[in-house]
């Protein structure tokens, strides 16, 4: 018999209503991250595999709405995988490829966060959404589709980031532009996000595992 099932999100826990021995322990921030160089950096980034799940097709459609209005901003996507579909989309959408960059996997994630001010998550679904937690810990503003599962448990909409109805490209463009246009808002989100992310510090998450193991030891 299984003593305990551990899942990453409350939504995942809700998928097991027949079980009473389900605990939620999210992923910790895996590395020590320094704070971003500030909200003045006019760079939007995202990090993840070039895959259908990550919704980069929707992100490029979003950027096509945004780029002409904010000509001093850039978007950079980092990840492993085949970029050819997305390069074609950039051409088809008439996006300026000098300001919309498709890059390979990240060598130094801390430096990438440090040189940016906004992280966007365009995923169709997530297991958790660790990139949001890392970005918030680095003091970046985040905007994310409210996809299953994770973003709505990580972001408090309007306090430390922005949530957008899942798959709504027009709404994503509007929310992203509201952040790009408002340095004061980015500054507020930066401070609040950095504070919010502390609940995912390794020490905090390790404590949850210790508590769980202690509880199971008592039962046995």
């Amino acid at each position: 018999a299984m003593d305990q099932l551990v899942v990453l999100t409350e939504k995942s826990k809700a998928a097991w209503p027949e079980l009473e021995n389900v605990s939620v322990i999210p992923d910790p921030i895996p590395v020590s991250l320094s704070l971003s160089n500030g909200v003045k950096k006019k760079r939007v980034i995202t990090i993840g595999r070039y895959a259908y799940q990550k919704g980069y097709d929707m992100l490029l459609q979003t950027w096509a709405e945004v780029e002409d209005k904010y000509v001093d901003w850039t978007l950079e996507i980092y990840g492993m995988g085949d970029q050819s579909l997305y390069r074609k989309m950039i051409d088809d959408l008439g996006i300026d490829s000098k300001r919309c960059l498709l890059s390979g996997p990240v060598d130094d994630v801390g430096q990438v966060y440090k040189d940016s001010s906004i992280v966007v998550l365009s995923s169709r679904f997530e297991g958790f959404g660790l990139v949001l937690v890392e970005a918030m810990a680095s003091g970046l503003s985040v905007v994310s589709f409210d996809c299953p599962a994770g973003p709505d448990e990580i972001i408090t909409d309007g306090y430390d980031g922005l949530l957008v109805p899942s798959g709504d490209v027009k709404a994503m463009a509007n929310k992203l532009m509201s952040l790009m246009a408002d340095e004061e808002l980015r500054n507020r989100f930066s401070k609040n996000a950095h504070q919010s992310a502390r609940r995912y510090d390794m020490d905090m998450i390790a404590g949850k595992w210790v508590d769980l193991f202690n509880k199971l030891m008592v039962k046995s």
Side-chain angles (χ1 to χ4, degrees):
M2 179 176 59
D3 291 325
Q4 196 78 11
L5 174 64
V6 179
V7 296
L8 294 171
T9 64
E10 292 292 341
K11 278 200 177 70
S12 298
K13 180 179 179 178
W16 298 90
E18 70 277 17
L19 296 181
E20 292 180 6
N21 56 340
V22 184
S23 296
V24 178
I25 303 180
D27 281 335
I29 301 164
V31 288
S32 178
L33 297 166
S34 54
L35 283 171
S36 163
N37 285 329
V39 298
K40 295 183 187 298
K41 294 261 179 186
K42 296 189 173 180
R43 191 164 90 119
V44 181
I45 61 161
T46 194
I47 299 174
R49 291 170 297 108
Y50 289 92
Y52 175 77
Q53 173 201 342
K54 297 297 178 183
Y56 293 156
D57 54 327
M58 296 187 289
L59 178 56
L60 292 176
Q61 288 166 20
T62 297
W63 190 249
E65 300 267 330
V66 167
E67 63 158 359
D68 292 344
K69 301 175 183 74
Y70 294 88
V71 294
D72 48 350
W73 281 78
T74 60
L75 168 69
E76 189 152 6
I77 299 172
Y78 292 90
M80 298 175 65
D82 184 0
Q83 302 172 2
S84 55
L85 170 69
Y86 306 103
R87 293 197 178 280
K88 183 177 186 309
M89 274 196 77
I90 287 171
D91 289 344
D92 291 348
L93 290 166
I95 291 170
D96 179 0
S97 60
K98 293 187 187 68
R99 293 194 296 117
C100 180
L101 307 169
L102 305 183
S103 296
V106 179
D107 290 326
D108 183 349
V109 71
Q111 192 60 49
V112 169
Y113 289 135
K114 204 169 184 179
D115 291 337
S116 311
S117 69
I118 298 174
V119 164
V120 60
L121 189 82
S122 56
S123 298
R124 289 178 164 87
F125 57 92
E126 279 291 337
F128 175 57
L130 190 59
V131 67
L132 293 176
V133 174
E134 290 179 347
M136 290 166 73
S138 303
L140 275 74
S141 297
V142 295
V143 55
S144 173
F145 280 141
D146 189 6
C147 67
D152 70 336
E153 294 178 35
I154 297 168
I155 297 169
T156 302
D157 185 39
Y159 173 73
D160 52 21
L162 295 171
L163 287 170
V164 181
S166 203
D168 189 337
V169 167
K170 194 78 178 169
M172 177 64 95
N174 288 335
K175 292 277 188 179
L176 186 55
M177 286 189 287
S178 73
L179 268 180
M180 293 162 77
D182 194 339
E183 191 177 304
E184 194 179 311
L185 181 62
R186 296 199 302 278
N187 200 38
R188 191 167 80 241
F189 280 180
S190 171
K191 289 187 175 71
N192 293 342
H194 180 60
Q195 191 65 33
S196 295
R198 292 175 70 172
R199 68 187 188 270
Y200 300 104
D201 283 350
M202 188 68 80
D203 289 349
M204 297 284 286
I205 300 301
K208 289 178 183 288
W209 281 104
V210 170
D211 290 346
L212 176 61
F213 289 141
N214 286 339
K215 188 172 81 176
L216 292 175
M217 291 291 286
V218 169
K219 279 185 179 176
S220 63

